[in-house]
Amino acid sequence: MVSVNQERTPRKRTYLMSPPEHFAVEYAINPWMDTETPVDAGLALKQWEGLRETLAGLGHTVHVLPAEPGLPDMVYAANGAFVVDGVAYGARFRHEQRAAEATAHRAFYESGDWGFVAPSETNEGEGDFAYLPRAYGGLILAGYGFRTEPAAHAEAQEVLNRPAVSLRLVDPRFYHLDTALAALDDQRITYFPGAFSVASQKVLAQLFPDAVLADEVDAFAFGLNLVSDGRNVVLNSESTGLAGKLEAAGYTPVLVELGELKKGGGSVKCCVAELRP
Ligand code: ARG
């Protein structure tokens, strides 16, 4: 039974996605990628379309950034920038293979009604940044340890005028913050404690005593790599355990099939950047 104070309110969102038209596993920059495993490009595209339609069907606006040849990871649009209050803090990729994606994202923001700030520090956009507009008056959570440099957390704080809390990731399977932690609504998160250093686990427990805790099975199924509108939580279909926990907490899980994209080390959230006006 969901009590009244657990009733969850959805809010209309604006997202950016990029189709996996050139998706492949041509290099391995995270433990999930294996260049020997074949990728079904047609199926990847079909699954991606399913995700796009699901988000649009929930009433959200989805912008599409055209895929570019030679950028097989561009489908993971979350990495292209981090947008808060209409300002996009641009990405600067750790790996050379993905560097040019930042340019495509930058062009998108500069051609629209968004502010754009070019980064000096290495960071992979929303892959390593999350935003909670109603936690502590507006809080940025920021991951480091594998991709984004802690100096970028400070830079994001300066650019976006919100406090950024640095969290250290310690397990290479969870190399981006968004593989281990997600915002469920404006103030609540879900996360897998084991992906973080002991000190960062304590910080999270202090800031978010009401978090939905995920276990290793949930995290390994990429369950935390989810997109929520405050009530509807879109997550991949393998994450049935986490779906149950979210339902018990008053959210509505919406399962999508995204198995081909997992071969690149990503799932729902990796494919979706949230554009916060
Ligand atoms: N193959 C990509 C990489 O290793 C996957 C990125 C996943 N994106 C994310 N937001 N976690 O960079």
Side-chain angles (χ1 to χ4, degrees):
M1 259 293 278
V2 174
S3 66
V4 173
N5 65 1
Q6 274 185 318
E7 231 166 81
R8 309 296 177 191
T9 318
R11 185 158 46 73
K12 293 276 173 273
R13 312 283 174 142
T14 303
Y15 298 122
L16 179 64
M17 296 178 67
S18 183
E21 277 161 18
H22 304 285
F23 175 62
V25 182
E26 290 170 2
Y27 48 80
I29 55 174
N30 70 58
W32 302 87
M33 299 174 87
D34 175 2
T35 54
E36 303 293 302
T37 306
V39 170
D40 182 336
L43 182 57
L45 197 55
K46 202 173 138 224
Q47 292 176 338
W48 180 90
E49 271 300 340
L51 174 60
R52 194 185 62 79
E53 281 164 17
T54 299
L55 294 170
L58 289 168
H60 305 303
T61 301
V62 183
H63 296 291
V64 174
L65 185 62
E68 293 188 12
L71 296 175
D73 272 338
M74 194 167 167
V75 61
Y76 304 112
N79 297 122
F82 175 49
V83 188
V84 174
D85 295 338
V87 175
Y89 169 55
R92 185 175 179 139
F93 285 84
R94 157 118 3 225
H95 299 284
E96 186 52 38
Q97 294 98 323
R98 299 195 64 187
E101 292 177 42
T103 313
H105 281 265
R106 177 178 187 155
F108 170 84
Y109 293 107
E110 289 185 335
S111 69
D113 273 343
W114 305 92
F116 181 86
V117 178
S120 304
E121 306 294 342
T122 299
N123 83 88
E124 299 198 346
E126 268 201 327
D128 274 321
F129 288 111
Y131 185 57
L132 286 299
R134 287 178 58 213
Y136 307 96
L139 190 69
I140 296 169
L141 296 180
Y144 71 101
F146 298 100
R147 299 291 180 87
T148 295
E149 287 295 337
H153 302 177
E155 190 173 49
Q157 173 169 297
E158 284 299 304
V159 168
L160 302 170
N161 307 294
R162 304 285 181 181
V165 174
S166 291
L167 302 165
R168 186 155 78 91
L169 295 160
V170 294
D171 182 332
R173 293 171 304 171
F174 309 116
Y175 58 94
H176 274 144
L177 183 70
D178 72 0
T179 63
L181 179 150
L184 290 172
D185 53 34
D186 289 348
Q187 56 217 323
R188 201 160 186 228
I189 61 168
T190 177
Y191 67 100
F192 167 49
F196 298 91
S197 70
V198 173
S200 291
Q201 289 179 34
K202 287 186 181 151
V203 169
L204 285 168
Q206 181 185 324
L207 294 177
F208 298 97
D210 64 346
V212 176
L213 295 186
D215 61 25
E216 186 161 23
V217 176
D218 300 325
F220 202 67
F222 263 97
L224 291 160
N225 198 243
L226 59 80
V227 169
S228 176
D229 65 12
R231 182 171 75 200
N232 304 293
V233 183
V234 182
L235 72 172
N236 82 74
S237 56
E238 289 170 45
S239 308
T240 48
L242 184 60
K245 291 173 198 172
L246 295 173
E247 201 159 23
Y251 298 94
T252 307
V254 180
L255 299 177
V256 294
E257 182 66 55
L258 224 54
E260 287 309 295
L261 277 314
K262 196 179 174 186
K263 294 175 180 172
S267 191
V268 176
K269 173 63 206 153
C270 298
C271 295
V272 180
E274 182 168 351
L275 311 185
R276 299 174 191 83

